[in-house]
Amino acid sequence: MRNTEEMHGWTVKMSTPSVLAVVTVFSMIPGGVLSDMRGSQGLETQQLAQGSSHLHRRLRRGWIWKQLFVPEEDPTPRVIGQLKSDSDRGEYSIKYVLSGEGAGDAFEIDEYSGEIRTLKKLDREEKAFYVLQAQAINRRSNEPEEPQSEFIIKVQDINDNVPQFQNEPYVSSIPEMCPTGTTVAQVTATDADDPMFGNNAKLIYSILQGEPYFSVEPKTGIIVTSWPNMDREAREQYLVVVQVKDMLGLSGGYSSSTTVTVSLTDVNDNGPTFQHHLYTFVVPENAPMGTTVGRIMAEDGDVGINAKMTYSLEDDLEESSTFFIQTDPVTQEGVILLAKPLDYESKRRFVMAAEAVNDHVDTRFLALEEFSDRTTLKIVVEDVDEPPVFLSPLYEWKVPENAAVGTVVGSVSARDTDTVNSPIRYAIDKRSDATKAFKIDPNNGTITVAKALDRETSDWHNVTVEAKETTQNHLSSSVVVFIKVLDINDNVPRLARDYQPYICEGTQAGELIQLLSAVDPDDPVEGHHFYFSMVPEKHINPNFTIRDNQDNTAGIVARRSTFTRKDRTHYLLPVVVADSGSPALSSTSTLTISVCSCQPAGHCPSGGVEALALSMGLSMQTLLGILVCLVTLTVLSVLMLMVRRHRRKQQEGLEVEVRELELPETVSQKVLYYGEPGGAGGGGGRGGLDSCQPVVPLRSHPRRRERRLRREDVRASIRMSLRESHLIGPEDEVFRQFILDRVAEADQDPYVPPFDCLRTYAYEGSGSPTGSLSSLDSSTSEVGPEQPVSNPRPYLVRLTPWYGGGEEDTVF
């Protein structure tokens, strides 16, 4: 429909599932108030420009559209409304344009008819409303016929969400025996549907499981107890199932459930209770103190601190102090322990009362006396075969060290405490009396002296005596006997050390020369007291006297002041030391007092050596000279010994060289060099033997034995040739080949060291007076006694055993 003032306007037709309404909305709002009303100011300006004659007419400021509604979760596209401009004459000259949220995606508009359609199903929980803009445009001028207007499409809620419980799981605890109506917990559920539209999000709570013990407030979800005096000992835990429904629980709504775990906490509503009125235990009589005799348990239905209890034993029914009881903190049991030794022969049974009391009581639930309980304990002592028992735990005796063999020192006694009362035999442990100073009577335990005692050797004897039963199990026990050896005066006193007193030449009469003290191995009860004196003589000693200081010391004092070494070098002074024992013992020691030439401070530098020299009748200079001579002789003896040892080593070295020369396997070629200063030929060779470096045996060649095998034939030829050397000339083929072989071996042998000189030998012919150099035709002694002494040639040593007989292995 049109407005009464014939103004152009929008016509909106709204389509709902039940109603199709046509609504025309006009709004006269002053310009500039709504910022989203586009085009209003421009219209006002245009109308004002038409003149004052038109100021009395109403001006259109803009358009505001009411909300359009679309149901959620509707998958069918449908028309939800229609926009129509007053300029639309049905000629399709107007084009409708839709923009804003969801335009083209969730909504579209027919550009010719202005119908608004949905394109997909909408979810209110995802987006509850859409803000869109509509505009009518003239198709011919492409200008807007109307200013752009804004409207809202609201998604209408439906019940499409299930209520959900928050903060799951639910766990709660309440004390047992609590009153009815005690709050247990509160459950909370939420519904994503619109709480302002219908009953979709209106929830209600109910109990599915847990009645009649619990109930729930329908609107708040608070769970409370509905059963009085719930006992934890009967049932400790409950599972309460709570259901929540939307739409106030009406049919067609959604529902969900949750479980609340309710635990009952303990209170002290039970006291301890013993299951038996009498507990009996058996313990052996030899059980050590602290032994666990047994355990008792008072049942308490409570737990934790409410179940803690303390056990105690009642005062003397029958000497309950022999045992004591304490609570095991883990099991809450009463542990009965042995406090004193047991003896089957003296007491065989104990009866006592035990009580258990809760540590923490709660009089709200029980009376005070109900938090305790009592029972009776009976403990039976079991007989055990025990070893003998000595009447005393140890023995301590005293015996003088001069006690005769057989003297009784003391007696030990033991008995068998068992009812059998077996006989006892005694013996001394050999390990405790290694010296066998004592012996014991095996029947009555009397200990006597077996050998002489000496306090100075051993003043205490710790003897272990063993007592053993003669029947049954032969059990034994032992005791320690301490025997102290008392001292008697059986040792003479002696000077404390070996004194070597001296007196200076300038000593004056009355001066102290030496302070003396004494020792005595004895140990008198009143302590030592020594007396010092001189040996009584007919005449008084004119030189020295002894002054007793009455404190176990004495001093030697000079009687005169004219002591010189020339007169006398030393003096002998007998000293008598006596003790205060009964009887008194004494000893005499003779001291040698030397005369010394002391330094100004009174010190004798020679320390007695000078006095010793004078006593021998020698001066210090003579004594020093003798000492120097002794030192010199010692040095010479050492030097002579070293020289002799050096010569012996040289001789041993020469013997080794000779042995090497005589061994064919360890020698090398020996070549002699004959000098010819006068001319050539055999005659010149008789002039003499030139001096050269000594022949050194070469290192044994590792392949020498191999060369021996292949030179056997050459050696045989040489030996035959040498035997007839007076018939063979120097140009003989045998000698030539021999020289060539030696030269080749020397050139190729890496083990041959270089020589300092060349030693050669030449053939002298058969007419030489000396004869051949070879020893094959010579005797063992090369130079006989018949040889002329005037022969100028030196003595020639046999180089190698070339003698025809014996060893034929010749090395060149």
Side-chain angles (χ1 to χ4, degrees), residues 327-399:
T327 304
D328 188 325
V330 178
T331 63
Q332 293 299 308
E333 293 178 305
V335 183
I336 305 169
L337 303 173
L338 181 62
K340 294 181 179 179
L342 300 175
D343 187 10
Y344 173 83
E345 288 71 29
S346 60
K347 192 173 185 60
R348 304 182 182 184
R349 187 181 65 175
F350 296 85
V351 178
M352 64 200 75
E355 184 179 26
V357 180
N358 272 141
D359 293 344
H360 304 277
V361 298
D362 194 341
T363 55
R364 294 179 304 170
F365 305 102
L366 294 176
L368 184 61
E369 60 271 8
E370 295 185 35
F371 289 101
S372 63
D373 195 17
R374 295 177 61 180
T375 188
T376 302
L377 303 180
K378 180 180 179 181
I379 301 176
V380 178
V381 180
E382 185 179 32
D383 185 27
V384 176
D385 187 12
E386 298 176 298
V389 178
F390 284 91
L391 300 182
S392 176
L394 58 89
Y395 294 88
E396 184 174 349
W397 301 325
K398 298 178 181 179
V399 59

Side-chain angles (χ1 to χ4, degrees), residues 219-240:
K219 293 184 179 181
T220 60
I222 297 176
I223 302 173
V224 296
T225 59
S226 57
W227 189 269
N229 299 328
M230 287 188 290
D231 190 4
R232 186 200 65 82
E233 288 73 31
R235 184 176 178 181
E236 187 174 359
Q237 192 178 78
Y238 297 83
L239 298 179
V240 181

Side-chain angles (χ1 to χ4, degrees), residues 134-180:
Q135 192 172 22
I137 300 176
N138 192 303
R139 291 181 183 275
R140 297 185 182 89
S141 63
N142 203 22
E143 294 292 334
E145 288 290 337
E146 300 291 342
Q148 183 176 359
S149 297
E150 186 175 89
F151 64 97
I152 296 175
I153 299 177
K154 187 173 182 180
V155 182
Q156 193 174 28
D157 182 55
I158 64 173
N159 190 17
D160 60 342
N161 288 279
V162 179
Q164 300 291 332
F165 281 97
Q166 306 296 316
N167 304 320
E168 289 185 303
Y170 292 97
V171 178
S172 180
S173 61
I174 58 174
E176 62 174 334
M177 311 301 291
C178 62
T180 303

